Amino acid sequence: MENTITPTNKRIKKLPRKINYYKVSLEEISKLDPILKPKLLMHACCGPCSCFPLTFLCPHFDVTIYFNNSNIYPTEEYERRLEELKKLLECYRTDYGWDVKLIVTPYENEKYMKDLMPYQDLREGGVRCRLCYEKRMSEAYDYAEEHDFDYFCTVMTISRQKDSQIMNSIGKKLEESHKKTRYFYSDFKKMDGLAKAKELRLKYDLYNQQYCGCQISYGGYLKRLEDKEKTDTPL
């Protein structure tokens, strides 16, 4: 019997069209005064992720970094990532003359994780992670608004593990709840951003972390190491 396709009147749900946020960022930069740089507060999680975003932004903005990453575990890892970021900023000050200021908030891992631990069994990159992104971005955005920054953005759109559509949707939501500070849309992965970031990381010999940051992702990292050791053990 010949196979047939039965027609249906049901409307096929279309997937939302992805926005080219790299193009959006270029369009926003094209509107800026080339002489009077607007103030931009950038949430940053580490040195390697900041490499390319800073080279992209510093020619056009007066950039300040907001380091509020109490999600990072353990304490030694937090301190190492912060020191590597300071190292990068000093290198950029020497090589390019960019005076990027750094604001560091108190490290309060136990307090921070109370909101995330109820979701500890969920997959990486899901609800728990989105909550983590939004917590840090919201706090940083509040600071930007309170201290009269023109723009706010995050380096996290450079990460392979983070969907830029989601990151920018969080930024859009936050912009709508703030009156003065605009959100700077970005997708730092575009136009070889990842390759350029790696090149800069190697140039400045920056420590490259092997997991996202929190205690839960740290546990996953340790499990991967354990599995690798078992695989690599000769019979």
Side-chain angles (χ1 to χ4, degrees):
M1 183 177 180
E2 184 179 352
N3 290 329
T4 60
I5 299 176
T6 304
T8 178
N9 290 326
K10 288 184 179 180
R11 181 178 294 177
I12 298 173
K13 186 177 180 180
K14 292 184 179 180
L15 293 174
R17 180 167 168 256
K18 288 190 175 183
I19 299 171
N20 185 337
Y21 285 111
Y22 177 75
K23 183 179 179 182
V24 173
S25 67
L26 292 180
E27 290 173 350
E28 189 65 30
I29 286 174
S30 71
K31 302 173 187 175
L32 301 178
D33 188 318
I35 299 175
L36 298 175
K37 291 183 176 181
K39 291 171 56 181
L40 180 144
L41 186 74
M42 181 172 74
H43 161 260
C45 52
C46 62
C49 286
S50 302
C51 287
F52 176 67
L54 283 174
T55 63
F56 185 85
L57 295 169
C58 283
H60 311 288
F61 295 94
D62 177 9
V63 180
T64 296
I65 285 180
Y66 196 80
F67 190 86
N68 63 323
N69 300 290
S70 288
N71 59 304
I72 300 173
Y73 179 90
T75 306
E76 294 77 15
E77 179 73 15
Y78 169 87
E79 292 173 347
R80 187 172 187 183
R81 295 190 192 188
L82 176 56
E83 288 307 310
E84 291 296 287
L85 177 59
K86 291 178 180 178
K87 173 183 171 182
L88 174 67
L89 297 186
E90 189 56 41
C91 290
Y92 277 6
R93 187 173 289 110
T94 300
D95 290 355
Y96 302 104
W98 294 332
D99 184 22
V100 179
K101 294 165 283 295
L102 176 62
I103 297 165
V104 180
T105 65
Y107 178 64
E108 299 176 320
N109 179 259
E110 186 174 343
K111 177 181 177 182
Y112 182 91
M113 290 301 296
K114 285 181 179 179
D115 289 336
L116 303 186
M117 291 308 289
Y119 307 101
Q120 61 181 307
D121 295 328
L122 299 183
R123 65 176 180 83
E124 194 81 9
V127 173
R128 181 186 72 249
C129 295
R130 177 161 181 159
L131 175 61
C132 184
Y133 310 151
E134 190 163 350
K135 275 171 66 70
R136 287 178 288 153
M137 288 173 66
S138 179
E139 180 190 331
Y141 213 132
D142 287 346
Y143 183 93
E145 180 94 345
E146 291 164 8
H147 292 81
D148 298 320
F149 281 84
D150 301 296
Y151 288 89
F152 166 77
C153 81
T154 177
V155 301
M156 290 192 288
T157 63
I158 189 74
S159 172
R160 286 189 184 90
Q161 287 74 38
K162 295 174 177 64
D163 187 332
S164 296
Q165 303 294 313
I166 291 175
M167 304 308 303
N168 285 294
S169 70
I170 294 172
K172 182 176 185 296
K173 174 185 172 184
L174 291 172
E175 183 179 40
E176 290 169 352
S177 64
H178 292 79
K179 296 180 180 178
K180 297 180 294 184
T181 304
R182 298 184 63 182
Y183 178 70
F184 184 82
Y185 293 89
S186 68
D187 189 349
F188 294 121
K189 289 187 284 290
K190 296 291 186 181
M191 301 304 291
D192 294 325
L194 286 170
K196 292 172 183 174
K198 181 179 179 180
E199 181 181 336
L200 290 163
R201 173 175 61 81
L202 295 174
K203 175 182 177 180
Y204 294 113
D205 191 27
L206 297 175
Y207 159 68
N208 189 36
Q209 59 269 13
Q210 298 301 308
Y211 61 100
C212 184
C214 78
Q215 185 175 353
I216 302 162
S217 63
Y218 178 63
Y221 164 65
L222 295 180
K223 180 68 166 56
R224 291 194 298 274
L225 282 182
E226 182 183 342
D227 292 343
K228 186 176 185 302
E229 288 176 1
K230 289 179 181 178
T231 304
D232 292 344
T233 302
L235 296 175

